[in-house]
Amino acid sequence: MLFKQQALLRQKLFVLGSLAIGSLLYLVARVGSLDRLQPLCPIDGRFATRGQDEIPLRALQFKRGLLHEFRKGNATKEQIRLHNLVQQLPKAIIIGVRKGGTRALLEMLNLHPAVVKASQEIHFFDNDENYAKGIEWYRKKMPFSYPHQITIEKSPAYFITEEVPERIYKMNSSIKLLIIVREPTTRAISDYTQVLEGKERKNKTYYKFEKLAIDPNTCEVNTKYKAVRTSIYTKHLERWLKYFPIEQFHIVDGDRLITEPLPELQLVEKFLNLPPRISQYNLYFNATRGFYCLRFNIVFNKCLAGSKGRIHPEVDTSVITKLRKFFHPFNQKFYQITGRTFNWP
Ligand code: A3P
């Protein structure tokens, strides 16, 4: 009898213990995904304009995994239909600027449950051959998403390519345009560093930055050098303003995105009429990389590739001073047009 009671007690303790461990594991798992486990809102809130309904968020973590599989091309047509997945044209595009932090911005925005990124740069609007393939070709390049989500793509060459504003306007005249900028001289050196690395990889030699940035005949800034021209932000923006009002642009501070990404991302959420969902939990500083990295949940996090955050070569200070002086009036104009002022020298 006593033996039977003891066995029963042991059994009960075992069940209670299992329940306690199960609950604990569940809680631990949830901590990592609290941001993403928001209640699901009604299905048909689209990319709302200001004042209208916010974009509803999908709720369940597992759906993100499912979507990931679909994006990798592991979905059958039936699964796509069943889950109501679509390939949508972007509602917002990161149009530039090259080396401004375009990849970091895209990846960080992708932390938002209502955002789906196009992983590759599509180069639809700046490449004549691609553009000739038509808008359906472009749409088919987009990732699968739920109808209430928004797709974002980034192709930094759009910002400086002559034909692009008109082409994007023809696709969607109310599209939202994101431009991420850095202090122009730093951006130009970053641009140079990328090209230099490409040459070195092919065992080629290359000029020093100073030689490219300064015209040896006049000793003035060489405005024919592409890395310099790209940093004259106002010149490019003025071309875009022939098609889109300034309200359709949002300027992201690329230098601040490096040191303090969250407030910059919150401004973008606001601009895109997205409910604030990216939190400090999603961003952690990785001392080894020297940059913020991304945390999606308790198990999944990632840093950007090593090609982001290169060490810049030392540049002669007189050349830096000359460049900064050269960019100064263009910067002033850029602040005036955009309404966003930076502490650039
Ligand atoms: P550097 O390589 O000059 O440091 P893009 O993606 O437009 O090519 O921009 C690259 C720049 O993104 C890098 O320039 C780097 O400074 C910046 N960046 C911003 N946030 C970053 C992050 N979290 N991780 C790595 N690079 C980041």
Side-chain angles (χ1 to χ4, degrees), residues 161-170 173 177 234-249 337:
T161 309
E162 198 88 20
E163 300 81 6
V164 174
E166 186 181 358
R167 288 175 177 179
I168 294 188
Y169 181 85
K170 280 183 183 158
S173 61
L177 301 163
T234 185
K235 285 276 175 227
H236 302 288
L237 183 61
E238 280 166 36
R239 275 188 304 101
W240 284 83
L241 290 173
K242 289 184 190 142
Y243 293 89
F244 298 97
I246 194 69
E247 294 73 34
Q248 267 171 254
F249 296 86
I337 295 175

Side-chain angles (χ1 to χ4, degrees), residues 99-104 182 190 258 291-292 308-310 312:
K99 303 323 293 171
T102 53
R103 173 57 61 186
R182 275 164 92 187
S190 172
I258 296 173
F291 284 98
Y292 275 88
K308 303 293 171 185
R310 296 184 177 100
H312 297 180

Side-chain angles (χ1 to χ4, degrees), residues 33-41 55-61 63-64 67 71 88 107-117 144-152 269 274-279 282 295-296:
S33 49
L34 278 181
D35 282 328
R36 318 192 71 76
L37 282 164
Q38 301 300 329
L40 191 66
C41 307
I55 292 171
L57 304 178
R58 69 172 184 283
L60 299 173
Q61 181 71 22
K63 280 198 168 185
R64 188 138 191 142
L67 207 56
R71 272 188 230 131
Q88 308 184 75
E107 297 293 334
M108 287 173 180
L109 289 177
N110 192 54
L111 288 162
H112 196 291
V115 170
V116 181
K117 64 164 185 184
F144 283 102
S145 62
Y146 294 103
H148 67 269
Q149 294 178 309
I150 61 163
T151 302
I152 301 188
E269 287 180 323
L274 294 169
R277 286 291 178 275
I278 304 172
S279 70
N282 300 122
R295 183 187 286 123
F296 286 84

Side-chain angles (χ1 to χ4, degrees), residues 11 119 224 307:
Q11 213 173 2
S119 295
K224 290 197 184 100
S307 59

